[in-house]
Amino acid sequence: MTHPSVWAGFGRHAAAYERGRPDYPGEAVAWLAERLSLGPGRCVVDLGAGTGKLTRRLVATGARVIAVEPADGMRAELVRAVPGAEAIAGIAEELPLADASADAVTAAQAFHWFANERALAEIARVLRPGGRLGLVWNTRDLADPVQRALVELIEPLRTTEHSHVGSGWRAALEASPHFGSVEEARFANLQRVDADLLADRVGSVSFVAVLAEEERRPVLERARALAGGGELDLRYVTEVFAAERSDQ
């Protein structure tokens, strides 16, 4: 379960998160929508929806979209940015949803925060027979020198509380009796940024967002300096995964 201090950090800087986080490429969203059979008449629950970066793309499929987000500030930004979704407060381990009420569940940039059997059992509970779980991450392309510089800037600030990045989520999913084998795909993704957007991107990282302002400000200034007064492309790899509910 995500620690409440993380919710508070994300919530305080929700506008920076909305501005600074990259979108998802159309090819990745199309792959996910096909695997989850999204469209009119279907219902998808977007967990840890944040400001709705994926949520808005799910709405565009014509499916009914329920966005679950624990941080009040993030959820308020989501309501503003994605009026077509139903936004509710909640956490993955205690979903405020009925049994077998969704055709699909998604989590974008979020599943690593709640990759545990309690959450997976809850996800399986709300899925209908044949329902699927879809996971998405924009991961840094470390062949990009700017991304490498960002890693050098922020990684020394990471704490144990914010050590969720990695492959532990996959072990949890594959060990769960509730889901079958994992299907996956990867897509190139570019984000055009200037100095301010680069600062917003860094400021939206969980362990930077929780810093006191006097600690956070110089980190953002160093991020701005990487843009060199112009614009540049940040390179990502968008990783997409799908797994079907197996306990039917």
Side-chain angles (χ1 to χ4, degrees):
M1 183 185 299
T2 308
H3 194 281
S5 69
V6 175
W7 303 347
F10 279 139
R12 279 198 307 273
H13 303 292
Y17 190 105
E18 171 63 16
R19 292 189 302 266
R21 289 289 177 128
D23 198 356
Y24 300 100
E27 299 89 344
V29 176
W31 186 95
L32 187 68
E34 180 182 0
R35 298 311 183 281
L36 304 186
S37 300
L38 299 183
R42 303 277 286 178
C43 177
V44 56
V45 176
D46 192 24
L47 296 183
T51 65
K53 287 288 185 176
L54 179 64
T55 315
R56 67 201 69 186
R57 307 299 296 271
L58 300 175
V59 168
T61 69
R64 176 192 176 194
V65 182
I66 301 171
V68 180
E69 170 53 46
D72 293 343
M74 298 283 269
R75 198 170 58 257
E77 191 70 26
L78 186 154
V79 169
R80 183 198 63 76
V82 196
E86 303 167 36
I88 61 175
I91 60 173
E93 293 88 349
E94 298 175 11
L95 291 173
L97 299 166
D99 293 358
S101 57
D103 299 294
V105 171
T106 59
Q109 307 295 133
F111 183 66
H112 52 281
W113 289 109
F114 47 82
N116 57 69
E117 182 51 29
R118 184 179 170 192
L120 285 163
E122 273 290 270
I123 292 168
R125 178 184 66 79
V126 304
L127 280 172
R128 298 185 178 113
R132 286 189 157 221
L133 171 63
L135 307 174
V136 187
W137 282 274
N138 279 322
T139 61
R140 300 182 189 281
D141 182 347
L142 294 182
D144 180 351
V146 181
Q147 291 284 25
R148 292 200 304 272
L150 290 177
V151 169
E152 292 173 4
L153 172 62
I154 66 175
E155 282 302 312
L157 303 171
R158 187 186 295 276
T159 66
T160 302
E161 181 182 329
H162 303 91
S163 61
H164 295 71
V165 174
S167 59
W169 67 267
R170 184 160 192 155
L173 178 58
E174 291 180 340
S176 174
H178 302 294
F179 292 91
S181 60
V182 180
E183 189 176 1
E184 61 190 88
R186 287 167 174 77
F187 303 87
N189 193 11
L190 288 178
Q191 180 191 22
R192 190 72 172 169
V193 298
D194 59 13
D196 288 339
L197 281 180
L198 200 55
D200 284 335
R201 176 66 186 91
V202 168
S204 74
V205 173
S206 59
F207 50 89
V208 178
V210 298
L211 293 175
E213 192 56 33
E214 61 270 20
E215 299 174 281
R216 188 170 175 273
R217 191 180 304 113
V219 176
L220 302 191
E221 288 306 317
R222 289 175 63 191
R224 284 190 179 91
L226 291 174
E231 292 187 339
L232 49 84
D233 287 325
L234 277 183
R235 287 157 45 192
Y236 293 88
V237 177
T238 301
E239 301 180 331
V240 195
F241 305 85
E244 186 171 348
R245 201 191 96 174
S246 60
D247 54 340
Q248 301 170 19

